[in-house]
């Protein structure tokens, strides 16, 4: 469910801009295996958007930092080639999502077990705040520092263990827009959560770079 709040509602593709933000969030959610979420989106377009000439080609919407999660302040460049114009716009995005929290107080150097964690809805409002949606990323991990009961557990609070080892068989997930495919690969390097490592695609034999998103699972883009 998307709650859309408009700061300015301008004539230049406001509805399409809204749709683009929704699509970017949906695509990222699919890549990260979000099962259920809701988003609050605050969209801003500059005043001059009302006075731009109509675009004879399709209007292009491009995130200025496409490698970041579309959470928090998400900046866009909106452009047209005929006639030529560009404007900058942004959306402020908050995601409501079930993420793993500490069920009990967790002490430094403690090994996390199932009884120490619980899945609970949290609000994510910064793209730099990495969070955990899979229990496989938590069980048997060692805490670096004290985590109080009820707090979201962040990867930075854990001593990361290797999720992929060299020569392991892994699942490669590749996406383009809403299209996602999976294939088998072989890890050419060790890696922890979030690391980018080289993988051999067992179908094509090609060597590619992919990011580790879970134990034995990596993702890349077409």
């Amino acid at each position: 469910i998307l709650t859309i709040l408009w700061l300015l509602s301008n004539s230049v593709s406001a509805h399409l801009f809204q749709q683009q933000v929704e699509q970017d969030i949906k695509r990222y959610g699919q890549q990260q295996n979000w099962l259920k979420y809701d988003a609050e989106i605050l969209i801003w377009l500059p005043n001059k958007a009302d006075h731009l000439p109509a675009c004879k080609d399709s209007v292009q919407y491009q995130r200025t930092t496409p490698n970041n999660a579309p959470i928090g302040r998400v900046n866009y460049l909106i452009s047209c080639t005929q006639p030529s114009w560009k404007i900058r716009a942004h959306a402020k995005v908050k995601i409501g999502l079930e993420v793993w929290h500490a069920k009990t107080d967790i002490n430094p150097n403690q090994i996390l077990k199932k009884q120490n964690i619980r899945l609970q809805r949290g609000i994510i409002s910064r793209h730099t705040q990495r969070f955990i949606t899979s229990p496989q990323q938590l069980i048997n991990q060692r805490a670096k520092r004290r985590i109080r009961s009820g707090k979201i557990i962040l990867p930075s609070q854990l001593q990361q263990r290797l999720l992929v080892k060299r020569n392991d068989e892994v699942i490669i997930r590749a996406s383009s827009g809403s299209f996602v495919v999976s294939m088998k690969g072989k890890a050419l390097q060790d890696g922890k959560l979030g690391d980018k490592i080289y993988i051999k695609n067992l179908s094509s034999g090609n060597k590619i770079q992919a990011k580790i998103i879970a134990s034995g699972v990596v993702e890349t883009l077409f």
Side-chain angles (χ1 to χ4, degrees), residues 28 31-33 100 129-139 141 144 153-165 173 189-197 210-219:
Y28 185 80
Q31 293 171 356
Q32 300 300 316
N33 298 314
W100 288 94
Q129 182 180 344
R130 293 179 62 193
F131 47 91
I132 296 171
T133 57
S134 169
Q136 287 79 15
Q137 299 173 18
L138 287 176
I139 302 299
Q141 296 273 31
K144 287 183 181 178
I153 303 174
L154 305 177
S156 60
Q157 297 170 320
L158 306 174
Q159 294 179 8
Q160 296 296 318
R161 61 186 175 90
L162 293 178
L163 295 185
V164 172
K165 294 182 180 180
R173 290 181 179 165
Q189 296 173 281
D190 295 340
K192 303 183 292 296
L193 179 67
D195 286 349
K196 291 183 178 180
I197 63 172
K211 183 172 73 172
I212 299 173
I213 60 172
S215 179
V217 183
V218 300
E219 71 172 7

Short mmCIF file of all heavy atoms in Angstrom, two decimals, residues 28 31-33 100 129-139 141 144 153-165 173 189-197 210-219:
data_model
loop_
_atom_site.label_atom_id
_atom_site.label_comp_id
_atom_site.label_asym_id
_atom_site.label_seq_id
_atom_site.Cartn_x
_atom_site.Cartn_y
_atom_site.Cartn_z
N TYR A 28 13.29 -2.51 -6.10
CA TYR A 28 14.26 -2.71 -5.02
C TYR A 28 13.72 -3.73 -4.02
O TYR A 28 14.45 -4.60 -3.54
CB TYR A 28 14.56 -1.39 -4.32
CG TYR A 28 15.64 -1.50 -3.27
CD1 TYR A 28 16.98 -1.50 -3.63
CD2 TYR A 28 15.32 -1.62 -1.92
CE1 TYR A 28 17.98 -1.61 -2.67
CE2 TYR A 28 16.31 -1.73 -0.96
CZ TYR A 28 17.63 -1.72 -1.34
OH TYR A 28 18.61 -1.85 -0.38
N GLN A 31 14.22 -7.17 -5.32
CA GLN A 31 15.62 -7.57 -5.23
C GLN A 31 16.00 -7.97 -3.81
O GLN A 31 16.81 -8.88 -3.61
CB GLN A 31 16.52 -6.43 -5.70
CG GLN A 31 16.40 -6.10 -7.18
CD GLN A 31 17.12 -4.83 -7.56
OE1 GLN A 31 17.67 -4.14 -6.71
NE2 GLN A 31 17.14 -4.51 -8.84
N GLN A 32 15.39 -7.30 -2.82
CA GLN A 32 15.72 -7.56 -1.42
C GLN A 32 14.78 -8.56 -0.76
O GLN A 32 14.86 -8.80 0.44
CB GLN A 32 15.68 -6.24 -0.63
CG GLN A 32 16.66 -5.19 -1.14
CD GLN A 32 18.09 -5.66 -1.07
OE1 GLN A 32 18.51 -6.24 -0.08
NE2 GLN A 32 18.86 -5.40 -2.12
N ASN A 33 13.85 -9.12 -1.56
CA ASN A 33 12.92 -10.14 -1.05
C ASN A 33 12.01 -9.62 0.06
O ASN A 33 11.73 -10.33 1.02
CB ASN A 33 13.69 -11.38 -0.56
CG ASN A 33 14.46 -12.05 -1.67
OD1 ASN A 33 13.95 -12.26 -2.76
ND2 ASN A 33 15.72 -12.37 -1.41
N TRP A 100 13.98 -7.62 11.50
CA TRP A 100 14.32 -8.35 12.72
C TRP A 100 14.79 -7.41 13.82
O TRP A 100 15.63 -6.55 13.60
CB TRP A 100 15.36 -9.42 12.42
CG TRP A 100 14.76 -10.55 11.65
CD1 TRP A 100 14.75 -10.71 10.31
CD2 TRP A 100 14.00 -11.64 12.19
NE1 TRP A 100 14.05 -11.84 9.95
CE2 TRP A 100 13.58 -12.43 11.08
CE3 TRP A 100 13.65 -12.03 13.48
CZ2 TRP A 100 12.83 -13.59 11.24
CZ3 TRP A 100 12.90 -13.19 13.63
CH2 TRP A 100 12.50 -13.95 12.53
N GLN A 129 20.69 3.22 6.21
CA GLN A 129 20.39 2.33 7.34
C GLN A 129 20.11 0.93 6.81
O GLN A 129 19.00 0.62 6.39
CB GLN A 129 19.19 2.84 8.14
CG GLN A 129 18.87 1.98 9.35
CD GLN A 129 17.68 2.51 10.14
OE1 GLN A 129 17.28 3.64 9.97
NE2 GLN A 129 17.12 1.66 10.98
N ARG A 130 21.12 0.11 6.79
CA ARG A 130 20.93 -1.27 6.35
C ARG A 130 20.17 -2.03 7.42
O ARG A 130 20.34 -1.80 8.61
CB ARG A 130 22.27 -1.92 6.07
CG ARG A 130 23.01 -1.31 4.88
CD ARG A 130 24.33 -1.97 4.66
NE ARG A 130 24.17 -3.39 4.34
CZ ARG A 130 25.17 -4.26 4.34
NH1 ARG A 130 26.39 -3.87 4.66
NH2 ARG A 130 24.95 -5.52 4.04
N PHE A 131 19.31 -2.92 6.99
CA PHE A 131 18.47 -3.64 7.93
C PHE A 131 18.34 -5.08 7.46
O PHE A 131 18.73 -5.42 6.34
CB PHE A 131 17.09 -2.98 8.04
CG PHE A 131 16.47 -2.64 6.72
CD1 PHE A 131 15.65 -3.53 6.07
CD2 PHE A 131 16.74 -1.42 6.11
CE1 PHE A 131 15.09 -3.23 4.85
CE2 PHE A 131 16.18 -1.11 4.88
CZ PHE A 131 15.35 -2.02 4.25
N ILE A 132 17.80 -5.92 8.31
CA ILE A 132 17.82 -7.36 8.06
C ILE A 132 16.40 -7.89 7.99
O ILE A 132 15.60 -7.68 8.90
CB ILE A 132 18.61 -8.08 9.17
CG1 ILE A 132 20.08 -7.61 9.14
CG2 ILE A 132 18.53 -9.59 9.01
CD1 ILE A 132 20.90 -8.09 10.30
N THR A 133 16.08 -8.57 6.89
CA THR A 133 14.75 -9.14 6.71
C THR A 133 14.76 -10.66 6.71
O THR A 133 13.71 -11.28 6.68
CB THR A 133 14.13 -8.65 5.39
OG1 THR A 133 15.00 -9.00 4.31
CG2 THR A 133 13.94 -7.13 5.40
N SER A 134 15.96 -11.26 6.72
CA SER A 134 16.07 -12.72 6.66
C SER A 134 16.72 -13.24 7.94
O SER A 134 17.79 -12.77 8.32
CB SER A 134 16.91 -13.13 5.45
OG SER A 134 17.24 -14.50 5.52
N PRO A 135 16.13 -14.23 8.60
CA PRO A 135 16.74 -14.77 9.82
C PRO A 135 18.07 -15.47 9.55
O PRO A 135 18.91 -15.56 10.44
CB PRO A 135 15.69 -15.76 10.33
CG PRO A 135 14.88 -16.13 9.13
CD PRO A 135 14.85 -14.90 8.28
N GLN A 136 18.29 -15.93 8.30
CA GLN A 136 19.55 -16.59 7.97
C GLN A 136 20.74 -15.64 8.12
O GLN A 136 21.88 -16.09 8.27
CB GLN A 136 19.51 -17.14 6.53
CG GLN A 136 18.65 -18.37 6.35
CD GLN A 136 17.17 -18.05 6.27
OE1 GLN A 136 16.79 -16.90 6.07
NE2 GLN A 136 16.32 -19.05 6.41
N GLN A 137 20.47 -14.33 8.07
CA GLN A 137 21.53 -13.35 8.23
C GLN A 137 21.85 -13.09 9.70
O GLN A 137 22.78 -12.34 10.01
CB GLN A 137 21.13 -12.03 7.56
CG GLN A 137 20.89 -12.17 6.06
CD GLN A 137 20.34 -10.90 5.45
OE1 GLN A 137 20.43 -9.82 6.02
NE2 GLN A 137 19.75 -11.01 4.27
N LEU A 138 21.08 -13.71 10.62
CA LEU A 138 21.24 -13.45 12.06
C LEU A 138 21.67 -14.66 12.87
O LEU A 138 22.53 -14.55 13.76
CB LEU A 138 19.91 -12.92 12.64
CG LEU A 138 19.51 -11.49 12.27
CD1 LEU A 138 18.14 -11.19 12.86
CD2 LEU A 138 20.53 -10.49 12.79
N ILE A 139 21.04 -15.79 12.62
CA ILE A 139 21.27 -16.97 13.46
C ILE A 139 22.76 -17.34 13.42
O ILE A 139 23.38 -17.42 12.36
CB ILE A 139 20.41 -18.16 12.99
CG1 ILE A 139 18.92 -17.78 13.01
CG2 ILE A 139 20.67 -19.37 13.86
CD1 ILE A 139 18.40 -17.40 14.38
N GLN A 141 25.19 -15.58 14.36
CA GLN A 141 26.08 -14.43 14.26
C GLN A 141 26.48 -13.98 15.66
O GLN A 141 25.75 -14.18 16.64
CB GLN A 141 25.38 -13.26 13.54
CG GLN A 141 25.03 -13.55 12.10
CD GLN A 141 26.19 -13.22 11.17
OE1 GLN A 141 27.35 -13.33 11.53
NE2 GLN A 141 25.88 -12.82 9.95
N LYS A 144 28.68 -7.57 18.07
CA LYS A 144 29.86 -6.74 18.37
C LYS A 144 29.66 -5.96 19.66
O LYS A 144 30.61 -5.73 20.41
CB LYS A 144 30.10 -5.74 17.24
CG LYS A 144 30.63 -6.31 15.96
CD LYS A 144 30.88 -5.15 15.00
CE LYS A 144 31.39 -5.63 13.66
NZ LYS A 144 31.58 -4.48 12.73
N ILE A 153 17.89 -4.74 14.66
CA ILE A 153 19.25 -5.28 14.57
C ILE A 153 19.84 -4.90 13.22
O ILE A 153 19.27 -5.21 12.17
CB ILE A 153 19.26 -6.80 14.75
CG1 ILE A 153 18.60 -7.19 16.08
CG2 ILE A 153 20.68 -7.34 14.69
CD1 ILE A 153 18.43 -8.69 16.28
N LEU A 154 20.99 -4.21 13.23
CA LEU A 154 21.65 -3.75 12.02
C LEU A 154 22.88 -4.60 11.73
O LEU A 154 23.54 -5.08 12.66
CB LEU A 154 22.06 -2.28 12.16
CG LEU A 154 20.93 -1.31 12.53
CD1 LEU A 154 21.50 0.09 12.71
CD2 LEU A 154 19.86 -1.30 11.45
N PRO A 155 23.21 -4.81 10.47
CA PRO A 155 24.41 -5.59 10.13
C PRO A 155 25.68 -5.05 10.78
O PRO A 155 26.58 -5.82 11.11
CB PRO A 155 24.47 -5.48 8.60
CG PRO A 155 23.06 -5.25 8.19
CD PRO A 155 22.46 -4.40 9.28
N SER A 156 25.75 -3.73 10.97
CA SER A 156 26.95 -3.12 11.56
C SER A 156 27.15 -3.52 13.01
O SER A 156 28.24 -3.34 13.56
CB SER A 156 26.87 -1.59 11.46
OG SER A 156 25.74 -1.09 12.15
N GLN A 157 26.10 -4.07 13.65
CA GLN A 157 26.20 -4.48 15.05
C GLN A 157 26.69 -5.91 15.20
O GLN A 157 26.85 -6.40 16.31
CB GLN A 157 24.83 -4.34 15.73
CG GLN A 157 24.32 -2.91 15.78
CD GLN A 157 22.87 -2.83 16.23
OE1 GLN A 157 22.03 -3.64 15.83
NE2 GLN A 157 22.57 -1.86 17.08
N LEU A 158 26.93 -6.58 14.07
CA LEU A 158 27.29 -7.99 14.09
C LEU A 158 28.67 -8.20 13.48
O LEU A 158 29.09 -7.45 12.60
CB LEU A 158 26.27 -8.81 13.31
CG LEU A 158 24.80 -8.65 13.71
CD1 LEU A 158 23.92 -9.42 12.74
CD2 LEU A 158 24.57 -9.12 15.15
N GLN A 159 29.36 -9.21 13.99
CA GLN A 159 30.61 -9.63 13.37
C GLN A 159 30.24 -10.54 12.21
O GLN A 159 29.79 -11.67 12.41
CB GLN A 159 31.49 -10.37 14.40
CG GLN A 159 31.98 -9.49 15.53
CD GLN A 159 32.82 -10.25 16.53
OE1 GLN A 159 33.16 -11.40 16.31
NE2 GLN A 159 33.15 -9.60 17.64
N GLN A 160 30.41 -10.02 11.03
CA GLN A 160 29.91 -10.72 9.86
C GLN A 160 30.72 -11.99 9.57
O GLN A 160 31.95 -11.98 9.55
CB GLN A 160 29.98 -9.79 8.64
CG GLN A 160 29.07 -8.57 8.76
CD GLN A 160 27.60 -8.97 8.82
OE1 GLN A 160 27.16 -9.84 8.09
NE2 GLN A 160 26.86 -8.33 9.71
N ARG A 161 30.00 -13.07 9.36
CA ARG A 161 30.64 -14.31 8.97
C ARG A 161 30.54 -14.47 7.46
O ARG A 161 29.74 -13.80 6.80
CB ARG A 161 29.98 -15.50 9.68
CG ARG A 161 28.51 -15.69 9.35
CD ARG A 161 27.90 -16.80 10.19
NE ARG A 161 26.46 -16.92 9.97
CZ ARG A 161 25.91 -17.70 9.04
NH1 ARG A 161 26.68 -18.43 8.24
NH2 ARG A 161 24.60 -17.77 8.91
N LEU A 162 31.34 -15.36 6.92
CA LEU A 162 31.30 -15.61 5.49
C LEU A 162 29.97 -16.27 5.12
O LEU A 162 29.59 -17.30 5.69
CB LEU A 162 32.46 -16.51 5.07
CG LEU A 162 33.87 -15.92 5.18
CD1 LEU A 162 34.90 -16.96 4.76
CD2 LEU A 162 34.02 -14.66 4.34
N LEU A 163 29.26 -15.65 4.18
CA LEU A 163 28.03 -16.24 3.68
C LEU A 163 28.27 -17.04 2.40
O LEU A 163 27.45 -17.86 2.02
CB LEU A 163 26.98 -15.15 3.42
CG LEU A 163 26.47 -14.39 4.66
CD1 LEU A 163 25.35 -13.44 4.26
CD2 LEU A 163 25.98 -15.35 5.73
N VAL A 164 29.40 -16.75 1.75
CA VAL A 164 29.78 -17.49 0.54
C VAL A 164 31.27 -17.79 0.63
O VAL A 164 32.06 -16.91 0.98
CB VAL A 164 29.48 -16.66 -0.73
CG1 VAL A 164 30.06 -17.35 -1.96
CG2 VAL A 164 27.98 -16.45 -0.91
N LYS A 165 31.65 -19.01 0.33
CA LYS A 165 33.06 -19.39 0.30
C LYS A 165 33.46 -19.74 -1.13
O LYS A 165 32.63 -20.17 -1.94
CB LYS A 165 33.31 -20.58 1.23
CG LYS A 165 33.10 -20.25 2.70
CD LYS A 165 33.42 -21.45 3.58
CE LYS A 165 33.21 -21.12 5.05
NZ LYS A 165 33.51 -22.28 5.93
N ARG A 173 20.78 -14.19 -8.69
CA ARG A 173 19.53 -13.53 -9.05
C ARG A 173 19.85 -12.30 -9.88
O ARG A 173 20.66 -11.48 -9.48
CB ARG A 173 18.75 -13.13 -7.79
CG ARG A 173 18.20 -14.33 -7.03
CD ARG A 173 17.43 -13.90 -5.82
NE ARG A 173 16.88 -15.05 -5.11
CZ ARG A 173 16.41 -15.01 -3.88
NH1 ARG A 173 16.40 -13.88 -3.21
NH2 ARG A 173 15.93 -16.10 -3.31
N GLN A 189 35.36 -16.23 -5.07
CA GLN A 189 35.94 -15.56 -3.92
C GLN A 189 35.09 -15.83 -2.68
O GLN A 189 33.92 -16.18 -2.79
CB GLN A 189 35.99 -14.04 -4.13
CG GLN A 189 36.88 -13.55 -5.26
CD GLN A 189 36.70 -12.07 -5.49
OE1 GLN A 189 35.75 -11.64 -6.12
NE2 GLN A 189 37.63 -11.27 -4.96
N ASP A 190 35.70 -15.66 -1.50
CA ASP A 190 34.95 -15.64 -0.26
C ASP A 190 34.23 -14.29 -0.15
O ASP A 190 34.66 -13.28 -0.75
CB ASP A 190 35.87 -15.78 0.96
CG ASP A 190 36.58 -17.12 1.02
OD1 ASP A 190 36.10 -18.07 0.37
OD2 ASP A 190 37.61 -17.21 1.70
N GLY A 191 33.15 -14.23 0.66
CA GLY A 191 32.50 -12.95 0.86
C GLY A 191 31.51 -12.95 2.01
O GLY A 191 30.97 -14.00 2.39
N LYS A 192 31.28 -11.77 2.57
CA LYS A 192 30.31 -11.56 3.64
C LYS A 192 29.10 -10.83 3.07
O LYS A 192 29.09 -10.43 1.89
CB LYS A 192 30.95 -10.74 4.77
CG LYS A 192 32.20 -11.38 5.36
CD LYS A 192 32.74 -10.58 6.53
CE LYS A 192 33.29 -9.23 6.13
NZ LYS A 192 34.49 -9.34 5.23
N LEU A 193 28.09 -10.62 3.90
CA LEU A 193 26.88 -9.93 3.48
C LEU A 193 27.23 -8.56 2.90
O LEU A 193 27.94 -7.78 3.52
CB LEU A 193 25.94 -9.77 4.68
CG LEU A 193 24.62 -9.04 4.40
CD1 LEU A 193 23.75 -9.87 3.47
CD2 LEU A 193 23.89 -8.73 5.71
N GLY A 194 26.73 -8.28 1.69
CA GLY A 194 26.95 -6.99 1.06
C GLY A 194 28.20 -6.89 0.22
O GLY A 194 28.37 -5.93 -0.54
N ASP A 195 29.12 -7.87 0.34
CA ASP A 195 30.34 -7.86 -0.46
C ASP A 195 30.02 -8.11 -1.94
O ASP A 195 29.09 -8.86 -2.27
CB ASP A 195 31.32 -8.94 0.01
CG ASP A 195 32.00 -8.60 1.32
OD1 ASP A 195 31.88 -7.44 1.77
OD2 ASP A 195 32.66 -9.49 1.89
N LYS A 196 30.80 -7.49 -2.81
CA LYS A 196 30.72 -7.78 -4.24
C LYS A 196 31.87 -8.72 -4.59
O LYS A 196 33.03 -8.39 -4.35
CB LYS A 196 30.78 -6.50 -5.06
CG LYS A 196 29.54 -5.62 -4.92
CD LYS A 196 29.62 -4.40 -5.81
CE LYS A 196 28.36 -3.56 -5.69
NZ LYS A 196 28.41 -2.35 -6.54
N ILE A 197 31.54 -9.88 -5.13
CA ILE A 197 32.56 -10.87 -5.45
C ILE A 197 32.36 -11.36 -6.88
O ILE A 197 31.30 -11.14 -7.49
CB ILE A 197 32.51 -12.07 -4.49
CG1 ILE A 197 31.17 -12.81 -4.62
CG2 ILE A 197 32.74 -11.62 -3.04
CD1 ILE A 197 31.12 -14.12 -3.85
N ALA A 210 28.89 -9.88 -8.56
CA ALA A 210 27.56 -9.86 -7.95
C ALA A 210 27.69 -9.58 -6.46
O ALA A 210 28.74 -9.82 -5.85
CB ALA A 210 26.85 -11.19 -8.19
N LYS A 211 26.60 -9.08 -5.88
CA LYS A 211 26.58 -8.73 -4.46
C LYS A 211 25.93 -9.83 -3.64
O LYS A 211 24.89 -10.38 -4.03
CB LYS A 211 25.82 -7.42 -4.25
CG LYS A 211 25.82 -6.94 -2.80
CD LYS A 211 25.22 -5.54 -2.68
CE LYS A 211 23.74 -5.55 -2.85
NZ LYS A 211 23.12 -4.24 -2.56
N ILE A 212 26.53 -10.17 -2.51
CA ILE A 212 26.00 -11.21 -1.64
C ILE A 212 24.83 -10.64 -0.84
O ILE A 212 24.97 -9.63 -0.13
CB ILE A 212 27.08 -11.74 -0.68
CG1 ILE A 212 28.24 -12.35 -1.49
CG2 ILE A 212 26.50 -12.77 0.29
CD1 ILE A 212 29.43 -12.74 -0.65
N ILE A 213 23.65 -11.27 -0.94
CA ILE A 213 22.47 -10.79 -0.23
C ILE A 213 21.99 -11.77 0.84
O ILE A 213 21.17 -11.41 1.68
CB ILE A 213 21.32 -10.47 -1.20
CG1 ILE A 213 20.89 -11.70 -1.99
CG2 ILE A 213 21.72 -9.33 -2.15
CD1 ILE A 213 19.63 -11.48 -2.83
N ALA A 214 22.46 -13.00 0.81
CA ALA A 214 22.10 -13.99 1.82
C ALA A 214 23.08 -15.16 1.67
O ALA A 214 23.91 -15.19 0.76
CB ALA A 214 20.66 -14.46 1.65
N SER A 215 22.96 -16.13 2.57
CA SER A 215 23.85 -17.28 2.51
C SER A 215 23.63 -18.04 1.20
O SER A 215 22.52 -18.53 0.91
CB SER A 215 23.58 -18.21 3.70
OG SER A 215 24.41 -19.33 3.66
N GLY A 216 24.68 -18.09 0.35
CA GLY A 216 24.60 -18.81 -0.91
C GLY A 216 23.80 -18.12 -1.99
O GLY A 216 23.47 -18.74 -3.01
N VAL A 217 23.47 -16.83 -1.79
CA VAL A 217 22.65 -16.10 -2.78
C VAL A 217 23.34 -14.77 -3.10
O VAL A 217 23.73 -14.03 -2.21
CB VAL A 217 21.22 -15.83 -2.26
CG1 VAL A 217 20.39 -15.13 -3.33
CG2 VAL A 217 20.56 -17.11 -1.81
N VAL A 218 23.48 -14.49 -4.41
CA VAL A 218 24.05 -13.23 -4.85
C VAL A 218 23.10 -12.59 -5.86
O VAL A 218 22.23 -13.27 -6.43
CB VAL A 218 25.45 -13.42 -5.49
CG1 VAL A 218 26.41 -14.04 -4.50
CG2 VAL A 218 25.36 -14.30 -6.76
N GLU A 219 23.25 -11.28 -6.07
CA GLU A 219 22.39 -10.61 -7.05
C GLU A 219 23.22 -9.72 -7.96
O GLU A 219 24.26 -9.19 -7.56
CB GLU A 219 21.31 -9.78 -6.37
CG GLU A 219 21.79 -8.53 -5.67
CD GLU A 219 20.65 -7.64 -5.19
OE1 GLU A 219 19.49 -8.05 -5.28
OE2 GLU A 219 20.95 -6.53 -4.71
#
